[in-house]
Amino acid sequence: MRMSDTDKLQAEYVETYNKYMTLPDDSKELKALAKKLQELEETLTRRFLFESGYTLEKTGEFSIYVKGGQ
């Protein structure tokens, strides 16, 4: 992962968010933009956690983020 990739994702998130906020409530694009925002949010959150030293561990049916070195 490169920082430039993160910067591009953040820029895409901001652009999508701004577009979402300016659309009227009855717009047909709202659902698609909401889904895109959620996906970008999840991607940016995972990236932040991995860059901060967290790893994903499977525990039964679930996966949790655990701080590395513990």
Side-chain angles (χ1 to χ4, degrees):
M1 286 184 243
R2 287 177 270 154
M3 284 303 286
S4 62
D5 295 340
T6 301
D7 292 340
K8 287 178 188 173
L9 282 172
Q10 288 174 334
E12 184 180 355
Y13 179 85
V14 169
E15 184 179 310
T16 305
Y17 178 81
N18 287 337
K19 185 175 182 182
Y20 178 84
M21 294 304 289
T22 59
L23 288 174
D25 290 341
D26 60 350
S27 175
K28 295 178 182 182
E29 287 183 75
L30 282 179
K31 276 190 177 181
L33 287 176
K35 184 174 179 170
K36 176 104 174 143
L37 282 171
Q38 184 178 8
E39 291 169 357
L40 287 168
E41 236 175 67
E42 291 170 1
T43 301
L44 285 166
T45 301
R46 270 194 315 276
R47 192 168 278 218
F48 172 78
L49 288 170
F50 288 139
E51 289 173 355
S52 298
Y54 286 82
T55 57
L56 194 61
E57 289 187 5
K58 183 104 171 137
T59 56
E61 294 181 32
F62 303 98
S63 296
I64 59 171
Y65 289 98
V66 178
K67 183 75 172 173
Q70 291 182 346

